[in-house]
Amino acid sequence: MTQTALDIAADVRARRRSAREVVDEHLATIEAREGEVHAFNAVLAEEARRTADAVDGSIAAGDDPGPLAGVPVVVKDNMCTRGIPTTCGSRILEGWRPPYDATVVERLREAGAVLVGKTNLDEFAMGSSTENSAFGPTGNPHDLARVPGGSSGGSAAAVAAGFAPLALGSDTGGSIRQPAALCGVVGVKPTYGLVSRYGLVAFASSLDQIGPFASTVADAAAALDAIAVPDPRDSTCIPDARPAYVEALQTGADGLRVGIVEELTEADGVEPEVRNAVERAASVLEAGGAHVDRVSVPSAVYGISAYYLIAPAEASSNLARYDGVRYGLRVEGEDVGTMNARTRAAGFGDEVKRRIMLGTYALSAGYFDAYYGKAQKVRTLIIRDFARAYETHNVLLAPTTPTVAFKLGEKTSDPLAMYLSDVCTVPSSLAGHPAMSVPFGTGADNLPVGVQVLAPPLAEVIMLRTAQALEESVR
Amino acid sequence: MSVYEAVIGLELHVELATATKLFCSCPNEFGAEPNTNVCPVCLGLPGSLPVLNARAVELALRLAEALDFDVPDRSIFARKNYFYPDMPKDFQISQYESPILSDGRLEVDGATVGIERAHLEEDTGKTVHMGGGGRIHDAEHSLVDYNRAGVPLMEIVSRPDIRSAEQARAYVTELRGVLKAIGLSDVKMEEGSMRVDANVSVREAGAAEFGTKVEIKNMNSLRSLGRAIEHEIERQSAMLDAGERIIQETRHWNEDDGTTHGMRTKEGSSDYRYFPEPDLTPVAPTDEQRAAVRGALPELPAQQRSRLVALGVPEAAARTIVEAELTTYTTSATVSTATTADVANWVQGEVLARVNAEDADPEEKLPAARLGELVDLVAEGTISRAQAKEVFDQVWGTSKVPREVVKDQGLAQVSDEGELAKVIDDIITANPKESDAYRAGDDKARGKLQGFFIGQAMKATGGKANGQLLKKLLDDRLG
Amino acid sequence: MEHVARLARLSLTDDEAERMVGELSGILEHVEDLAAIDLDGVPPTAHPLPLVNVLRADEVGPTLDREEVLAAAPDAADGRFRVPRILDAP
Ligand SMILES: [Mg+2]
Ligand SMILES: [Zn+2]
């Protein structure tokens, strides 16, 4: 197994290894395997070496470059990086270089991490397989003929392939948790508002949340420590201080009250191996002293419907700005309206167009109440149902995704089937609650299976503790 | 022909006098080089997010106090979605279902105009049209400057309580005075920091139902607002007389030909798909915020006017002075109520003319206390009104003191009774015919002859004689 | 479909439009399950967070360099973004 981020940082800070050495090793791994995995839209070898040298320089000068000193990180290519192309996997932004860094990118730099690349994604984070990238699909490092999941497939694959111990993704309806499960890594979607969205190219603003991928729960906690800070540039970023997640990590499940979410575990399409993994996870926790039972979150079954109205509606508005006027692609036209429409037709892929159309429709006069308005009310029901479940439980368990990684191309012709694969992840997105996927054994074809740990708002500490208990049991 | 009554509602957009834009920290300033006051937020760059300017909320709360608005517990921003190149995100962040202020009112010449709502929203960028004479549709291409994009606007929507073009102008004038007084905006219609749209309909006098309303845009002065409304009332009345139906539409005022004309709109294009702005939190003004504003609210134009009138300023002069923002100057120049009307006269006359011509701060050009001194010099009889004008010319914009100017230049009137009595006696002796006529004449004849005697006396004293005293002496001798 | 495409400023080919109609109606059929829920008196949730009054002090901050901004534009002239002629009023 590759070294963890925490080990690397400890070694670099203690001068047992140089940051440069660490980065060169990872760049070599990338060199060897990126051709077949295609996790990246851009590998920033030169910049990474430069940053690593600066980290080494500051250590030599007696300074502390931060808790992630010398740790190679990759970020999903929908997070702005100053002067570095940020494509969102779309032709419409090909070549665009943001004039600013996303807050999370700033935070990673301040923590001493070394940015190694921008990872592939479904165009504008819309998808569950990373096949919707304008720059080609990413392969699952466990089986290159299969998808890594999505939309943060590039980040998940990068961690699974050992390209970097840490990656950032964004999760709107499962886009961190689902690829984490399919690639056999840890993926955390924090509470909505825990991590600043400033500089994250918006898909669905009331759902989008940035979070880490890592090979261990402790590393994910370390990444959270770096990126989960208040940010006055994001009005929806919670202004209160966060706990120190690595420090707060405890072991053991003793005394935890754990509920298995019936509606998600029994949902249509959940494979027996996956259901089995959830049951086994519950037993592990029970054996560790937790009290486990089943719990109902009745409205969770409406999650997909509510999600596929709210997210496209917000997206239709968020993506209006790609009009060929200020940045990105332009396809000329004799008047501005024609130019806008041609640019968007040429620049957006099918899935993005589909969601823009769906969202525009859901918001349009005469349909708002039946679609968007109703979905927002369902959102309230889901929040209420979760609140009830959390009155008696500390954390909940569910599958992350109904199946193991599916084959490339298997679902591309059936958008609805693709959407249904988000069934287990969207409810906590709609509620704004934290949830994470932790690798828990394998399923069909010896492919990774993830178990999802759900927690109440801002209960990341107990969520991470539960995940760590599961991680220890399979180690 | 029927008699029609106009029903008018006005929508004002005013730019707030903040240092920065509504959702980002770019300067809110007029006239900067194109596209220099821009940042990721107001350019709508991918990944950028809005954060609300606290000052905009504070100004809204001031307006609430000034116009007796209700402040809802919670107001929310919404996105108004439509494509237009001057709008960086292709949606405008505005308020829709829940504005920050609702149900206010403004007294305009004794009538109350209800104000339905006032809400915050962002302005758009500015487009110039190249080729085709600068007109939008004929242009070959257009150029966009986003400096104005994101500038805070307050949209103030009146109820349809206005009944004439004149009242519409009065409403805007009064409202403008309020907005200026509370520091909400500098409300320069010509620079575009205030824009007015009018909803106009007509109905048969006495009818209870409203007629079909037409929205008029593009009036860029108070004068064109009045003209446009008058024209629209005539146009609609003529249509109704001819048995035609008014269609609900937006019409553009054309300053050159003095008419309104329909605007090109694409069918079905105005489906704005409003939904709550997910990137902003609700605004929920606290009691502390409201109390802080209440304590700091300056005097409004109506209050200023009544204070001036109570001091002895005539109603019309008070109106002019308040509109010209010379209330404080006037009250500082007023030493005693006996001379208030004189001070007001000077302020709305000479002072205002100078202020307008020189775009000057009067306090800098002539401290109010010195104007008061000048007025006193006339009141106490030291100098005449004519002399006072001379003195004013000499003290305005200099550091000279009126009393000293009078002394240095020997401008003081001759008020020595003995000296003037001799002058009068000499004139009476020299003009026996006129003297007799005065003695025998009625009031009218005397009035005429008084001018003659005083004129002679002024001539004899080089214009320095105290006129009041002369009149008294003349009366003593010939009355 | 045409109306929605116009609102969304997307020029779709006939083929695309036809395919889209099929896909969207499938999705809309699926979301019909919401119609059966009793949502009487349930308030909508627009924000998953209870935050209110997030405000920023009215203080001027940095602006972007105009050359950098315009360099990213597909077309610019005279310090401004250049667009083809505009047919509609806003
Ligand atoms: Mg408006
Ligand atoms: Zn700005």
Side-chain angles (χ1 to χ4, degrees):
Chain A
M1 189 178 160
T2 47
Q3 249 194 319
T4 66
L6 284 169
D7 288 344
I8 290 171
D11 283 355
V12 168
R13 291 166 97 182
R15 305 180 71 168
R16 286 189 290 270
R17 305 174 68 193
S18 71
R20 178 60 185 263
E21 239 177 277
V22 172
V23 158
D24 282 339
E25 266 175 39
H26 285 85
L27 287 172
T29 309
I30 292 169
E31 176 84 10
R33 257 201 111 188
E34 166 61 3
E36 55 185 32
V37 177
H38 185 221
F40 291 101
N41 288 338
V43 176
L44 309 168
E46 227 174 276
E47 136 135 13
R49 291 195 176 101
R50 229 181 8 249
T51 315
D53 288 345
V55 167
D56 289 332
S58 77
I59 288 171
D63 296 333
D64 181 4
L68 295 180
V71 175
V73 297
V74 297
V75 303
K76 190 177 181 178
D77 202 16
N78 60 352
M79 297 175 206
C80 289
T81 40
R82 184 176 166 81
I84 298 167
T86 299
T87 67
C88 295
S90 182
R91 291 277 172 222
I92 214 157
L93 274 179
E94 195 173 3
W96 178 62
R97 292 166 191 268
Y100 73 107
D101 273 334
T103 297
V104 288
V105 172
E106 270 179 7
R107 297 299 308 172
L108 288 175
R109 293 189 201 280
E110 282 165 23
V114 178
L115 182 64
V116 171
K118 303 289 297 281
T119 57
N120 199 16
L121 68 158
D122 285 300
E123 185 176 5
F124 284 102
M126 297 178 190
S128 309
S129 67
T130 314
E131 292 166 290
N132 296 332
S133 168
F135 309 112
T138 295
N140 188 318
H142 294 272
D143 175 354
L144 293 169
R146 293 179 186 258
V147 302
S151 64
S152 313
S155 285
V159 173
F163 295 164
L166 284 185
L168 294 187
S170 65
D171 188 312
T172 306
S175 282
I176 291 174
R177 290 161 285 164
Q178 189 253 19
L182 301 195
C183 290
V185 300
V186 175
V188 179
K189 181 203 96 77
T191 304
Y192 181 83
L194 193 82
V195 178
S196 169
R197 292 184 293 120
Y198 192 78
L200 169 68
V201 179
F203 158 19
S205 312
S206 77
L207 298 159
D208 294 342
Q209 195 49 203
I210 291 174
F213 289 95
S215 54
T216 66
V217 173
D219 273 6
L224 272 188
D225 278 333
I227 63 171
V229 286
D231 181 9
R233 287 173 295 189
D234 174 0
S235 307
T236 64
C237 189
I238 298 162
D240 312 317
R242 281 73 168 148
Y245 296 105
V246 172
E247 246 172 63
L249 265 185
Q250 303 170 11
T251 45
D254 196 23
L256 286 179
R257 289 168 302 156
V258 180
I260 299 171
V261 184
E262 250 169 274
E263 289 78 5
L264 302 184
T265 311
E266 308 301 331
D268 284 347
V270 174
E271 286 176 347
E273 289 97 332
V274 172
R275 196 172 296 133
N276 213 339
V278 176
E279 302 292 350
R280 279 187 292 115
S283 315
V284 162
L285 296 175
E286 204 161 28
H291 176 269
V292 181
D293 61 4
R294 301 198 154 245
V295 65
S296 175
V297 182
S299 53
V301 299
Y302 301 113
I304 287 285
S305 292
Y307 175 83
Y308 277 98
L309 290 169
I310 291 171
E314 292 182 9
S316 71
S317 174
N318 282 329
L319 272 63
R321 70 191 68 193
Y322 307 104
D323 60 6
V325 175
R326 291 157 299 275
Y327 41 79
L329 182 74
R330 172 185 290 190
V331 178
E332 289 297 348
E334 57 276 15
D335 63 88
V336 79
T338 308
M339 181 277 280
N340 294 155
R342 284 187 187 159
T343 298
R344 293 163 63 78
F348 290 140
D350 286 346
E351 182 59 31
V352 171
K353 287 180 194 170
R354 201 149 42 226
R355 297 209 196 180
I356 289 175
M357 292 290 286
L358 180 58
T360 303
Y361 180 73
L363 288 173
S364 66
Y367 298 97
F368 183 95
D369 291 340
Y371 292 119
Y372 187 76
K374 194 157 273 178
Q376 282 193 320
K377 291 180 180 177
V378 171
R379 203 170 177 179
T380 307
L381 291 188
I382 291 173
I383 291 172
R384 286 179 183 172
D385 286 352
F386 270 125
R388 207 164 298 125
Y390 289 125
E391 277 170 16
T392 46
H393 297 83
N394 303 116
V395 292
L396 305 179
L397 291 184
T400 305
T401 169
T403 67
V404 293
F406 45 91
K407 293 238 165 66
L408 282 159
E410 191 180 319
K411 294 187 181 180
T412 42
S413 57
D414 185 355
L416 186 58
M418 190 74 93
Y419 294 176
L420 293 174
S421 68
D422 297 340
V423 61
C424 300
T425 48
V426 291
S428 37
S429 294
L430 289 164
H433 294 175
M436 66 185 288
S437 184
V438 59
F440 202 74
T442 53
D445 299 316
N446 213 23
L447 288 162
V449 169
V451 165
Q452 193 180 190
V453 183
L454 296 76
L458 298 173
E460 274 81 4
V461 168
I462 203 159
M463 177 178 83
L464 291 165
R465 174 186 163 196
T466 308
Q468 202 177 25
L470 295 177
E471 181 180 270
E472 276 167 5
S473 77
V474 292
R475 196 169 276 160
Chain B
M1 288 224 295
S2 312
V3 177
Y4 296 106
E5 174 188 52
V7 174
I8 301 160
L10 296 178
E11 276 181 36
L12 269 77
H13 283 87
V14 290
E15 286 182 352
L16 301 189
T18 53
T20 64
K21 294 186 179 182
L22 189 54
F23 299 120
C24 66
S25 58
C26 287
N28 168 16
E29 64 177 342
F30 182 78
E33 279 290 296
N35 294 305
T36 51
N37 288 342
V38 293
C39 74
V41 178
C42 58
L43 269 181
L45 294 190
S48 65
L49 294 171
V51 185
L52 181 60
N53 187 337
R55 176 79 176 160
V57 173
E58 189 194 324
L59 291 173
L61 294 181
R62 280 200 203 180
L63 188 64
E65 294 304 324
L67 300 183
D68 201 18
F69 274 104
D70 291 340
V71 181
D73 289 344
R74 197 163 266 244
S75 62
I76 60 170
F77 284 94
R79 292 187 184 177
K80 180 180 183 180
N81 293 286
Y82 64 99
F83 281 84
Y84 212 71
D86 65 10
M87 226 171 26
K89 303 180 294 297
D90 288 299
F91 59 79
Q92 181 195 31
I93 304 178
S94 180
Q95 293 187 310
Y96 180 54
E97 275 176 337
S98 49
I100 189 160
L101 307 179
S102 63
D103 199 19
R105 70 212 80 249
L106 179 64
E107 295 296 318
V108 182
D109 296 336
T112 300
V113 175
I115 304 179
E116 194 184 308
R117 58 186 281 157
H119 70 246
L120 293 169
E121 62 184 27
E122 54 180 346
D123 208 344
T124 61
K126 252 186 189 157
T127 309
V128 287
H129 309 294
M130 310 304 286
R135 283 180 306 274
I136 179 166
H137 306 308
D138 306 330
E140 281 160 26
H141 64 270
S142 298
L143 297 176
V144 196
D145 165 17
Y146 292 107
N147 280 348
R148 201 182 64 184
V151 161
L153 292 178
M154 172 81 74
E155 180 174 328
I156 304 169
V157 184
S158 88
R159 294 194 188 281
D161 290 349
I162 298 165
R163 294 289 173 268
S164 68
E166 194 192 340
Q167 201 190 2
R169 289 174 52 157
Y171 166 81
V172 174
T173 305
E174 188 67 18
L175 184 51
R176 183 155 72 168
V178 171
L179 299 174
K180 239 184 197 178
I182 64 173
L184 187 135
S185 174
D186 59 9
V187 282
K188 291 182 184 152
M189 232 172 146
E190 297 70 22
E191 280 183 16
S193 67
M194 177 171 86
R195 306 192 276 278
V196 186
D197 301 332
N199 287 307
V200 180
S201 65
V202 298
R203 61 179 172 189
E204 280 194 37
E209 299 276 289
F210 289 142
T212 305
K213 72 175 179 188
V214 168
E215 187 179 15
I216 323 170
K217 288 183 177 288
N218 197 39
M219 286 92 55
N220 46 24
S221 68
L222 265 188
R223 199 176 98 86
S224 45
L225 172 70
R227 285 177 70 202
I229 290 174
E230 259 156 32
H231 165 80
E232 189 57 27
I233 294 170
E234 273 169 36
R235 190 187 70 87
Q236 291 183 25
S237 303
M239 283 180 73
L240 292 183
D241 279 336
E244 290 171 55
R245 230 168 43 87
I246 312 282
I247 45 167
Q248 183 161 351
E249 61 175 340
T250 300
R251 297 178 70 85
H252 235 251
W253 167 249
N254 185 329
E255 189 68 42
D256 300 331
D257 64 11
T259 63
T260 60
H261 55 92
M263 285 165 78
R264 227 197 275 209
T265 44
K266 225 184 233 172
E267 162 254 339
S269 64
S270 60
D271 182 350
Y272 294 126
R273 289 157 286 136
Y274 287 99
F275 73 99
E277 167 56 273
D279 290 329
L280 290 165
T281 63
V283 179
T286 60
D287 291 343
E288 296 79 58
Q289 275 173 308
R290 296 202 57 187
V293 162
R294 204 170 296 134
L297 200 69
E299 199 179 30
L300 301 177
Q303 297 165 321
Q304 291 179 34
R305 282 195 301 268
S306 28
R307 188 158 59 93
L308 288 175
V309 169
L311 280 173
V313 176
E315 181 81 44
R319 191 165 283 279
T320 308
I321 288 167
V322 170
E323 242 167 68
E325 293 175 278
L326 293 171
T327 308
T328 308
Y329 186 76
T330 305
T331 53
S332 319
T334 303
V335 192
S336 80
T337 48
T339 55
T340 306
D342 294 334
V343 167
N345 231 336
W346 277 96
V347 173
Q348 69 165 339
E350 266 73 14
V351 173
L352 183 54
R354 295 281 192 143
V355 164
N356 285 340
E358 299 168 28
D359 191 22
D361 172 4
E363 192 59 42
E364 265 170 33
K365 295 287 182 177
L366 175 64
R370 292 200 182 150
L371 178 70
E373 187 181 309
L374 185 64
V375 170
D376 283 348
L377 284 167
V378 178
E380 72 197 27
T382 308
I383 53 174
S384 68
R385 247 170 218 286
Q387 286 174 315
K389 286 216 167 131
E390 261 175 62
V391 176
F392 179 88
D393 287 342
Q394 292 188 47
V395 293
W396 179 268
T398 69
S399 51
K400 292 184 185 162
V401 178
R403 208 170 276 283
E404 278 162 19
V405 169
V406 168
K407 208 171 98 193
D408 291 351
Q409 302 182 15
L411 285 175
Q413 297 185 104
V414 177
S415 297
D416 183 296
E417 199 165 334
E419 195 181 324
L420 287 185
K422 193 174 167 300
V423 172
I424 282 287
D425 288 343
D426 288 351
I427 293 169
I428 289 172
T429 313
N431 300 285
K433 222 170 72 193
E434 283 80 3
S435 302
D436 290 345
Y438 193 103
R439 283 192 191 93
D442 56 8
D443 278 358
K444 206 176 151 198
R446 283 187 171 198
K448 263 191 189 158
L449 284 162
Q450 192 186 56
F452 165 77
F453 283 106
I454 300 220
Q456 292 293 311
M458 283 296 181
K459 212 163 145 190
T461 57
K464 289 183 188 172
N466 181 327
Q468 295 304 99
L469 192 52
L470 280 178
K471 275 180 217 163
K472 180 181 163 282
L473 291 168
L474 192 64
D475 240 30
D476 287 351
R477 281 156 181 73
L478 303 178
Chain C
M1 179 65 57
E2 232 173 81
H3 173 64
V4 176
R6 188 164 59 234
L7 286 176
R9 284 275 161 103
L10 277 173
S11 66
L12 300 178
T13 63
D14 292 348
D15 277 2
E16 266 181 315
E18 202 182 309
R19 189 153 39 88
M20 190 92 62
V21 170
E23 288 162 351
L24 293 191
S25 51
I27 297 161
L28 289 172
E29 219 166 273
H30 184 268
V31 304
E32 276 312 311
D33 62 347
L34 300 190
I37 316 174
D38 179 11
L39 293 166
D40 258 11
V42 178
T45 296
H47 288 88
L49 268 180
L51 290 179
V52 294
N53 282 341
V54 176
L55 302 170
R56 166 183 72 76
D58 186 23
E59 284 157 17
V60 174
T63 54
L64 288 172
D65 175 56
R66 180 165 79 177
E67 300 322 306
E68 186 179 0
V69 164
L70 292 177
D75 196 2
D78 253 351
R80 297 172 169 93
F81 296 84
R82 183 175 149 132
V83 295
R85 66 203 186 101
I86 302 168
L87 291 185
D88 309 295

